[in-house]
Amino acid sequence: MLIRVSGAAVQGIDAYIVTIEASTSRGIRFFLVGLPDSAVKESHERIISAFQINGYKFPSCQIIINMAPADIRKEGAAYDLPLAVGIMASVGELSTSQLDDYVIMGEMGLDGTLQPVKGALSMAIKARSEGFKGIILPAQNAPEAAVIDGLDVYGAQNLRQVVDLLNGKPDSIRPLERRSFSRSLPDQANQLDFADVKGQNAVKRALEVAAAGSHNLIMVGSPGCGKSMMARAIPSILPPLTEDESIETTRIHSVAGFTGHGTALITERPFRHPHHTITSVALTGGGSNGQPGEISLAHNGVLYLDELAEFSRSALEVLRQPLEDRTVVISRAKYRVEYPASFMLVASMNPCPCGYYNHPTKECHCTPTVIERYLGRISGPLMDRFDLQCEILPVGFDDMSSNEKGETSAAIRERVIRARTVQAARFHDENGVYCNAQMDSRLLRRYAKAEPSSIRMLGEAMNRLNLSARAYDRILKVGRTIADMDESETILPQHIAEAIGYRSLDRASWGK
């Protein structure tokens, strides 16, 4: 008897349907074909044990199982459950009337207990698009898949519950109710607050502008001036994720296996801060099995690189293309995948090896050649991709000893949310565009409308600072964000002036 069971596999962040064909005939052998890896082949032993412990008899006949499409490698233990269902149905121990209605996936323990799998949200999206009635997953993955409308999601604890469901027993598991999306603000109790940052009002303003438009920002200053503290406080002023952003972010983290078991969608923007010893593969993604890297895990959030000059040159240079395209394509001999990578890059670094170049009171012991070599670790093309460049001076004693509290993150976040609301309405009809930093040249011409006096001011700055065409676009984007914060329809001269002021590292005198 030939039986077909539908499963799913994930490539990149997209899923595709895997058809498991099970056929029984006279004999005693077991064949598993269709390019399975070692983990899939080991499912035979887990299935036998699960059958015995749950009172099911493993067929004493020849079993041939094919996993189609046969030219794509099947990896992982998540095929245990559909393989077990196919074997039982092929010998008549399980009703086949509902098999065509469901996508079935799950890893089994030796006792038939189901373990969570990766990529459940992508599988649910694919199941709905292919017209399946529902999806059967381990209970830990069900809340994640239940956010998809128009699909029955069943969360099973073990093999017996799945068998009872497919056999139509009335006391079997019920589908989960759809989890409605609700925007939530981050828990301020677990985050740094800008009210605790002494002084540095100009840098706080730059961080607010960066958060309002999701612009890339770099801070350069001596040790102890507050670069890391302010960077780590950025999540406290970011707006909550929209539903579309939340689904995109959750899909990436689900594929990587980083979503919490029993949780639905990720509602807080990611904040990733890898150590400077990270490799280029860990940063961009890839590896033998194709996993998303840090730049994709930071999608719709922040990637913070502390001590930027200490990162390897090869790791930093791979950021250039994703910063422009907001996607990263990983091409290897065995696969090619594309991951989203629309993140806000925040970086901090010292101005020289000793850290005290341009310090108002401490003497720098580095020679001009050493300083130039140190700053040269950050290539010009990469530095050009930072929308805001801030030089930070140490906090004075009066500010440090003052008991006066600064503006809270909650107050700053309200202004950021208002600016993002304006941008959300502006880009409502633009697929995948949520903020000013994501504008391409076409959208920039349409939405970044500046006064003639603003354009003249920008032209003077271009000639004086010898800025690139990329810097021109980025100044307009930052100007558009500042105008949104001021609730202005057009970009006024004061908006352009402030945006130009955030290009401090482009000045010819800096670092000389």
Side-chain angles (χ1 to χ4, degrees):
M1 182 177 183
L2 177 62
I3 296 296
R4 289 183 174 88
V5 180
S6 297
V10 177
Q11 188 171 31
I13 64 167
D14 297 317
Y16 58 91
I17 299 299
V18 174
T19 302
I20 297 170
E21 301 173 319
S23 175
T24 55
S25 59
R26 293 181 59 184
I28 58 173
R29 301 186 66 182
F30 180 88
F31 298 95
L32 181 58
V33 297
L35 215 58
D37 71 350
S38 297
V40 180
K41 293 177 181 177
E42 290 170 353
S43 64
H44 179 237
E45 314 304 327
R46 292 190 291 269
I47 292 172
I48 291 176
S49 175
F51 278 21
Q52 291 175 343
I53 292 177
N54 286 276
Y56 304 120
K57 184 180 179 181
F58 193 83
S60 55
C61 59
Q62 179 168 285
I63 303 171
I64 302 175
I65 296 179
N66 177 49
M67 306 178 74
D71 60 337
I72 298 178
R73 189 166 182 79
K74 319 304 183 303
E75 299 175 334
Y79 296 100
D80 290 354
L81 183 59
L83 289 173
V85 168
I87 291 172
M88 295 184 71
S90 66
V91 293
E93 292 191 15
L94 190 149
S95 173
T96 61
S97 59
Q98 300 186 73
L99 283 184
D100 293 338
D101 295 334
Y102 297 102
V103 170
I104 304 173
M105 289 297 287
E107 176 185 343
M108 286 196 311
L110 294 180
D111 60 351
T113 302
L114 298 183
Q115 305 297 327
V117 299
K118 297 179 180 179
L121 181 56
S122 296
M123 294 177 186
I125 293 173
K126 184 63 175 179
R128 183 184 63 179
S129 68
E130 292 292 326
F132 286 90
K133 176 184 177 182
I135 185 170
I136 302 173
L137 294 165
Q140 300 95 319
N141 295 122
E144 178 183 321
V147 302
I148 303 302
D149 193 17
L151 188 72
D152 293 337
V153 178
Y154 293 87
Q157 298 284 353
N158 50 55
L159 174 62
R160 183 170 293 277
Q161 288 185 340
V162 177
V163 173
D164 290 344
L165 170 66
L166 295 176
N167 281 332
K169 292 189 176 181
D171 57 346
S172 62
I173 52 177
R174 302 293 181 185
L176 271 69
E177 294 185 3
R178 182 178 182 268
R179 300 292 185 93
S180 59
F181 176 78
S182 60
R183 300 183 72 181
S184 60
L185 293 174
D187 184 7
Q188 294 291 317
N190 298 323
Q191 293 180 334
L192 288 171
D193 196 292
F194 273 99
D196 299 323
V197 180
K198 301 291 186 180
Q200 304 294 13
N201 292 328
V203 184
K204 291 180 186 178
R205 168 66 178 180
L207 290 169
E208 179 182 342
V209 173
S214 191
H215 299 290
N216 303 326
L217 175 142
I218 183 170
M219 297 176 285
V220 181
S222 58
C225 63
K227 304 185 298 295
S228 299
M229 183 179 184
M230 287 186 286
R232 293 179 184 276
I234 289 175
S236 67
I237 65 173
L238 293 176
L241 291 166
T242 65
E243 184 173 8
D244 289 340
E245 289 177 323
S246 181
I247 290 175
E248 289 176 0
T249 305
T250 304
R251 289 179 69 185
I252 298 170
H253 286 249
S254 176
V255 168
F258 293 154
T259 51
H261 297 154
T263 60
L265 292 178
I266 294 174
T267 56
E268 293 186 13
R269 295 187 181 275
F271 183 82
R272 308 292 298 185
H273 45 96
H275 192 260
H276 63 258
T277 56
I278 190 172
T279 64
S280 57
V281 173
L283 197 59
T284 58
S288 58
N289 297 323
Q291 289 290 304
E294 289 292 332
I295 63 174
S296 296
L297 294 172
H299 182 64
N300 291 322
V302 177
L303 176 67
Y304 174 46
L305 304 182
D306 196 9
E307 302 297 344
L308 185 67
E310 302 302 325
F311 283 77
S312 70
R313 184 68 175 258
S314 61
L316 292 179
E317 291 307 298
V318 299
L319 293 173
R320 288 161 54 178
Q321 178 264 331
L323 284 172
E324 290 295 320
D325 299 340
R326 300 196 175 271
T327 59
V328 57
V329 178
I330 308 298
S331 296
R332 299 292 184 265
K334 295 182 179 179
Y335 62 87
R336 182 186 184 276
V337 296
E338 181 175 336
Y339 294 114
S342 180
F343 56 93
M344 172 182 167
L345 177 61
V346 177
S348 60
M349 61 179 288
N350 294 327
C352 66
C354 77
Y356 297 108
Y357 175 72
N358 275 356
H359 195 281
T361 58
K362 293 187 178 182
E363 182 181 358
C364 174
H365 300 286
C366 303
T367 65
T369 303
V370 171
I371 295 174
E372 186 175 355
R373 185 183 303 118
Y374 185 80
L375 296 175
R377 296 181 184 180
I378 315 302
S379 69
L382 179 59
M383 187 65 75
D384 207 30
R385 284 166 168 79
F386 286 101
D387 304 337
L388 294 89
Q389 305 165 354
C390 300
E391 184 179 6
I392 305 179
L393 297 177
V395 181
F397 175 78
D398 292 340
D399 289 330
M400 186 66 66
S401 59
S402 174
N403 292 323
E404 184 178 350
K405 282 278 188 179
E407 190 176 24
T408 64
S409 291
I412 298 173
R413 186 178 60 225
E414 288 181 5
R415 296 195 295 270
V416 170
I417 291 176
R418 284 200 299 270
R420 287 289 186 103
T421 302
V422 172
Q423 295 166 48
R426 174 184 300 135
F427 303 124
H428 180 266
D429 296 328
E430 304 292 343
N431 185 35
V433 179
Y434 308 108
C435 55
N436 289 333
Q438 296 174 334
M439 288 191 291
D440 56 20
S441 298
R442 176 182 61 85
L443 297 178
L444 197 63
R445 290 192 300 270
R446 179 181 300 176
Y447 298 117
K449 297 179 180 179
E451 296 286 337
S453 56
S454 302
I455 297 298
R456 287 195 298 271
M457 179 183 293
L458 179 54
E460 293 173 2
M462 291 284 294
N463 295 328
R464 186 176 67 255
L465 301 177
N466 194 25
L467 299 177
S468 67
R470 182 182 290 112
Y472 173 87
D473 286 351
R474 293 183 181 274
I475 289 173
L476 278 180
K477 290 180 184 180
V478 174
R480 178 67 270 173
T481 297
I482 298 171
D484 290 340
M485 297 171 70
D486 288 346
E487 299 180 353
S488 173
E489 288 291 334
T490 58
I491 304 173
L492 302 177
Q494 60 265 33
H495 304 144
I496 287 292
E498 184 177 354
I500 293 171
Y502 293 132
R503 304 294 300 188
S504 60
L505 302 187
D506 285 332
R507 299 189 181 99
S509 60
W510 201 93
K512 300 297 184 181

